[in-house]
Amino acid sequence: MKDKYKEIFDKGTDLPLVEDFYTIQGEGYHTGKPAYFIRIGGCDIGCRWCDSKISWNPAEHRLISVEEVVRKAVESPAKAVVVTGGEPSLYNLEPLCTELKKHNIENFLETSGAYEISGEWDWICLSPKRNKLPVPSSYEKANELKVIIFDLEKDFEWAEELSKNVGDDCLLYLQSEWSQYVHNIKPIVEYVKNNPKWNISLQSHKFMRIP
């Protein structure tokens, strides 16, 4: 994918926009915070439980200039923007970050960290995927490590291994994969109670039935 769209990825001045909307951040450290979401198309990781598979193919989404998408964010009451995907680290995000900073908008990134993270971010949520692990620098930049628990027999151990790679001040979260929530939540609660360096992240937006 990266070769085919190399110019778009490298320039970062135009992005394939899947959707953008003003809502409430539903998970992780910033849960409950009003934020403008920008979902960028393009992902070569292919998680089987991905809840936004529509974002995988960048060719299916129209290119939009960073100026236009930031203008739409500025027109909303939002004081923060969440950039997600897809996999945003495929792109040069410096132009987007620069444009957001012109308007004094906080910028938060949600990424698997599979590629080098570009741009200056106020908060980086790193959510690694087994299909393509983060590059070393992504661990170093992470403010928050969010590990999705799908397989109870394997994912707690994997989360502990991942936690060894981030800084001491990085916040640690475990979040059940949504389709496994009923099955997983009690074991996750017990695990966090026994291992209090971890916190629980809930997809509260799905409980609230908002985007």
Side-chain angles (χ1 to χ4, degrees):
M1 181 185 292
K2 190 132 190 176
D3 291 337
K4 185 176 180 180
Y5 294 93
K6 187 176 188 305
E7 184 177 358
I8 296 172
F9 290 149
D10 290 349
K11 287 181 66 177
T13 53
D14 297 283
L15 300 169
L17 182 68
V18 179
E19 58 182 349
D20 58 330
F21 50 90
Y22 184 45
T23 187
I24 303 295
Q25 170 65 294
E27 56 193 64
Y29 176 74
H30 289 288
T31 293
K33 188 181 185 72
Y36 195 88
F37 271 67
I38 298 172
R39 187 180 302 280
I40 301 172
C43 183
D44 58 359
I45 297 172
C47 301
R48 60 176 175 168
W49 37 260
C50 177
D51 60 2
S52 56
K53 292 180 181 179
I54 190 175
S55 69
W56 287 5
N57 185 355
E60 295 181 358
H61 309 287
R62 75 181 182 96
L63 288 177
I64 183 171
S65 69
V66 295
E67 290 84 2
E68 182 178 350
V69 72
V70 170
R71 176 185 59 78
K72 293 167 71 177
V74 170
E75 289 175 353
S76 79
K79 301 299 182 185
V81 162
V82 176
V83 177
T84 185
E87 179 41 62
S89 67
L90 281 165
Y91 296 90
N92 173 14
L93 297 173
E94 186 67 42
L96 178 59
C97 289
T98 299
E99 196 66 23
L100 288 168
K101 290 300 181 184
K102 288 180 184 177
H103 300 278
N104 297 315
I105 296 176
E106 286 187 298
N107 59 353
F108 308 150
L109 178 66
E110 295 188 354
T111 177
S112 72
Y115 299 95
E116 296 286 341
I117 297 170
S118 55
E120 182 180 340
W121 297 93
D122 294 303
W123 191 267
I124 295 175
C125 173
L126 178 66
S127 185
K129 306 300 186 292
R130 291 180 183 271
N131 298 14
K132 187 170 286 191
L133 295 175
V135 296
S137 62
S138 294
Y139 291 112
E140 296 168 6
K141 294 180 178 181
N143 303 105
E144 170 185 351
L145 175 69
K146 183 175 67 183
V147 182
I148 307 302
I149 303 298
F150 181 84
D151 185 335
L152 291 173
E153 293 185 4
K154 299 178 180 179
D155 289 345
F156 287 132
E157 181 178 352
W158 189 55
E160 293 296 347
E161 289 301 313
L162 292 170
S163 72
K164 297 174 183 177
N165 299 322
V166 297
D168 293 339
D169 58 348
C170 181
L171 302 181
L172 305 178
Y173 287 87
L174 300 177
Q175 176 176 298
S176 176
E177 193 278 324
W178 181 248
S179 71
Q180 300 298 307
Y181 175 81
V182 173
H183 179 254
N184 285 353
I185 190 60
K186 287 185 177 180
I188 291 174
V189 167
E190 291 306 311
Y191 189 88
V192 169
K193 286 165 65 178
N194 290 323
N195 299 273
K197 70 177 184 179
W198 291 97
N199 303 281
I200 290 178
S201 171
L202 298 175
Q203 292 182 291
S204 64
H205 56 294
K206 293 187 176 181
F207 290 103
M208 291 187 284
R209 299 181 181 179
I210 61 174

